[in-house]
Amino acid sequence: MAAAEIDPYDPKPTLWQRHPHLAWMLAVFGFTVFLTYISFPPVNTGEAAYVLALPGILWAYRKPSFRMYAWTVLGAQMVAWTALLGWLHHVTWVGLFLLGPFIGLLVGSWFIAVWWAVPRLAGHRALVRIFALLGLAALWVVFEWFRSVVFGGFPWLPLAASQWQRPLVLQVAAYGGAGVTSFILICFNLGAAAYVHRAFFEGVTGFKKRTPEFSVALLVLMGGSFPFLADSFNQQRRPLVRAALVQPYIPQNEKWDAARATDVLHTLEQVTYDASRKGAPELIIWPEAVTPWALYRDPNVQPWLESVAKRTGKPLLFGTVYTQTMSHPDEEWYNGAFIATPGEGLSLIGYAKRHLVPFGEYIPLRPVLGWIEKFAPIGGDFQPGTDAAPLLVPVGSRRVPVGVLICFEDIFPALARESVLAGAEVLVVLTNNAWFGEGGAAYQHAAHSVLRAIETRRPVIRCGNGGWSGWIDEFGNIRATLQDENGSIYFRGAQTLEVTRDMRWAGKQSYYTQKGDWFLLVCVGLAAGVYYTVLMLKPPRPEPVGETVF
């Protein structure tokens, strides 16, 4: 049989006709990167979080090949997270191109579960599809938790953090943690994708476009938001402390330069004394590791700190690197916080950072990775603290129990919860984001403090070397942010803030503080249940024409 001749006048197929999935690949990749990036600080388009997973979910309904789908969604997440963590290049380009893609792979792995589950739901009754929607949302929460433990943990920017300037949907975190908000947002993504697919790809019209998945997603959104808004009504706010937050804004390349140490001290003194005169504070707060020499290791540090407290006449809460022994070959290094008062001098009781930064404060698996230098040029490996007990800060005739979190400790919910369980009535975050330039790092970091404030129902005061500094109330409202005359958070200066307290929560613990990550356990069970349900159940036979499956 002769082969069919090719008619030279026949129209040639277009690129899209030859590669019908190419448009989907490009659209899903582009929209996923764009929506993920703008959902979080510094862009802060939190509304995008309601649809950032929709393109990938919608494509899963079209049953693309695994290879094509995996390359697209994993690649999109790797690019998006490398862009979100772009500020890390100020410290290390190698670290950026390792951490960014790694986080992207962890987040993108959730979409692989979507690719597996969604096509298997075709023909199933509504209850099964709704159960699967809830299970996939639960799996997202499990993956976020996994990021907090793998390789030391880096739960940076959970989906809930996208709402840090929109606290309505965050209030439920006081009962189940920030993971509940992530669950709500992903539920909406899944329900919206089901609706869009039915409306545009299943050839239905009118009321038949309605999907039970989207209806349930709306109920989850409303049920997880509005009932908890009542907690913020009828507040009984009382003054807690007038605190002067000092931003010395010492460049990182000068901070540990011995030749610049005297200049660093003069800068601290100048900004601090100016703040003490102008703001009439009851407490002065300095950021993380503010002294250019280690406390106790250098005999001049303690007298200088006590002289500053005496000259201002105010207690001083400050972050510092310190050692337990003085100039001893076996000395142990800590990153901590202490109090110095005008009358009693330096308190012997301090706080030691409990969760250290890998490769910044210690080398994980040192026998294997010891050849890798730490990013921070300070001594050897730091030692982690073990005590969450608050520091008792004198404020007038009272002593306020302050739970200290240093550096990135506020991205770990368990650390803030432990501090409150130990008696903290206010959380203070001392940090130094000067490592990361003037990009989005400080804003992304501050978003986590909003989550911790709501989860624990405790005010959070933040003091950074050059920003973000300010305070957040128990309901996630940002009450004050330090800015210069140009509206920038990156500047040298200080400001005295009137921090208040809702007395309804004084001495009272939130449900999340008391019960911990109970919602995570629910999500683990729900995700496992959905896996076996989808794996074992087969869809029923198609109903006769004219009947609808409910």
Side-chain angles (χ1 to χ4, degrees):
M1 182 176 180
E5 295 184 2
I6 299 177
D7 188 340
Y9 296 101
D10 282 346
K12 294 182 178 180
T14 66
L15 175 66
W16 311 112
Q17 290 172 331
R18 295 196 306 272
H19 305 282
H21 288 289
L22 182 60
W24 273 102
M25 289 179 60
L26 294 176
V28 169
F29 184 91
F31 277 112
T32 299
V33 172
F34 176 71
L35 292 171
T36 300
Y37 184 79
I38 68 172
S39 294
F40 298 100
V43 180
N44 289 318
T45 309
E47 293 78 11
Y50 288 84
V51 292
L52 89 175
L54 189 151
I57 300 169
L58 186 60
W59 192 20
Y61 278 96
R62 311 302 299 162
K63 302 180 181 179
S65 70
F66 173 79
R67 182 177 181 181
M68 185 183 306
Y69 186 85
W71 275 105
T72 303
V73 295
L74 294 177
Q77 292 297 327
M78 291 168 68
V79 170
W81 279 92
T82 302
L84 283 170
L85 302 178
W87 42 265
L88 190 58
H89 83 270
H90 291 286
V91 180
T92 166
W93 282 100
V94 174
L96 170 62
F97 288 115
L98 288 176
L99 183 61
F102 176 70
I103 298 298
L105 285 174
L106 291 180
V107 176
S109 298
W110 178 82
F111 287 88
I112 304 303
V114 172
W115 175 89
W116 177 84
V118 164
R120 288 172 166 80
L121 299 177
H124 275 295
R125 296 184 180 276
L127 287 178
V128 174
R129 303 198 307 271
I130 291 170
F131 185 47
L133 176 148
L134 298 175
L136 287 170
L139 185 63
W140 179 281
V141 177
V142 175
F143 276 31
E144 286 192 340
W145 168 83
F146 183 68
R147 284 204 283 134
S148 71
V149 296
V150 65
F151 297 132
F154 190 67
W156 192 265
L157 294 183
L159 191 56
S162 65
Q163 307 302 304
W164 74 299
Q165 295 180 336
R166 299 157 181 81
L168 169 61
V169 74
L170 292 174
Q171 298 308 311
V172 68
Y175 297 88
V180 184
T181 297
S182 296
F183 177 89
I184 292 169
L185 294 172
I186 285 297
C187 259
F188 191 88
N189 276 265
L190 289 159
Y195 177 84
V196 171
H197 186 265
R198 184 167 180 81
F200 292 96
F201 296 98
E202 295 183 12
V204 297
T205 58
F207 286 108
K208 292 183 179 180
K209 291 182 178 180
R210 295 175 301 171
T211 61
E213 296 95 324
F214 188 57
S215 299
V216 169
L218 286 174
L219 288 174
V220 170
L221 175 61
M222 291 186 291
S225 303
F226 292 102
F228 302 98
L229 183 61
D231 287 354
S232 61
F233 296 157
N234 302 316
Q235 296 183 30
Q236 302 171 18
R237 306 210 69 83
R238 300 290 186 274
L240 179 65
V241 61
R242 283 181 57 82
L245 309 186
V246 175
Q247 290 190 169
Y249 205 23
I250 307 297
Q252 201 56 47
N253 60 349
E254 299 178 9
K255 194 174 184 66
W256 302 108
D257 186 349
R260 303 300 300 270
T262 301
D263 293 336
V264 171
L265 296 183
H266 287 164
T267 297
L268 278 167
E269 290 176 348
Q270 180 183 1
V271 179
T272 300
Y273 296 151
D274 186 58
S276 181
R277 288 192 302 268
K278 292 182 178 178
E282 299 172 305
L283 170 67
I284 297 173
I285 302 178
W286 286 352
E288 172 193 11
V290 72
T291 57
W293 299 300
L295 177 63
Y296 298 135
R297 190 173 192 268
D298 190 299
N300 298 312
V301 175
Q302 181 173 344
W304 176 76
L305 289 166
E306 293 175 339
S307 70
V308 173
K310 288 180 180 178
R311 185 167 176 179
T312 61
K314 307 294 190 303
L316 179 66
L317 172 60
F318 60 94
T320 182
V321 171
Y322 72 97
T323 61
Q324 286 188 330
T325 56
M326 188 179 297
S327 300
H328 191 278
D330 295 328
E331 62 190 3
E332 294 182 335
W333 291 73
Y334 295 86
N335 187 358
F338 287 85
I339 302 167
T341 63
E344 300 175 2
L346 180 69
S347 172
L348 296 178
I349 300 175
Y351 168 81
K353 185 179 180 183
R354 289 167 282 163
H355 197 112
L356 303 177
V357 179
F359 303 105
E361 294 170 324
Y362 76 104
I363 301 295
L365 303 174
R366 180 168 279 280
V368 178
L369 303 176
W371 56 273
I372 301 178
E373 291 292 335
K374 289 198 299 120
F375 302 138
I378 313 167
D381 283 355
F382 284 70
Q383 302 300 313
T386 57
D387 192 356
L391 301 182
L392 298 179
V393 179
V395 177
S397 59
R398 300 173 292 123
R399 288 188 177 269
V400 178
V402 173
V404 178
L405 300 171
I406 294 178
C407 188
F408 77 155
E409 285 192 310
D410 62 329
I411 75 173
F412 296 93
L415 297 180
R417 179 172 167 264
E418 289 170 4
S419 294
V420 175
L421 285 173
E425 287 296 320
V426 60
L427 299 174
V428 173
V429 179
L430 308 180
T431 187
N432 173 27
N433 288 326
W435 291 98
F436 309 120
E438 297 185 356
Y443 293 99
Q444 292 177 7
H445 191 184
H448 298 81
S449 286
V450 172
L451 303 181
R452 304 295 85 84
I454 297 172
E455 286 173 341
T456 61
R457 291 301 193 211
R458 293 294 185 268
V460 175
I461 304 172
R462 290 180 54 88
C463 185
N465 178 37
W468 192 100
S469 298
W471 82 277
I472 304 151
D473 71 17
E474 303 91 328
F475 307 99
N477 300 299
I478 298 171
R479 294 281 185 159
T481 306
L482 268 63
Q483 296 178 332
D484 64 10
E485 61 275 7
N486 299 316
S488 174
I489 64 171
Y490 300 106
F491 70 100
R492 175 175 295 166
Q495 184 176 337
T496 298
L497 306 178
E498 183 75 52
V499 181
T500 63
R501 184 82 169 96
D502 185 352
M503 297 307 296
R504 296 176 305 169
W505 287 99
K508 181 181 177 182
Q509 296 173 352
S510 69
Y511 189 84
Y512 174 74
T513 300
Q514 298 175 51
K515 304 300 181 181
D517 291 319
W518 63 270
F519 185 71
L520 172 64
L521 299 179
V522 171
C523 287
V524 170
L526 188 56
V530 166
Y531 170 74
Y532 285 106
T533 297
V534 175
L535 187 66
M536 302 302 294
L537 285 185
K538 294 183 179 180
R541 295 180 179 180
E543 297 289 334
V545 177
E547 297 189 18
T548 305
V549 177
F550 287 103

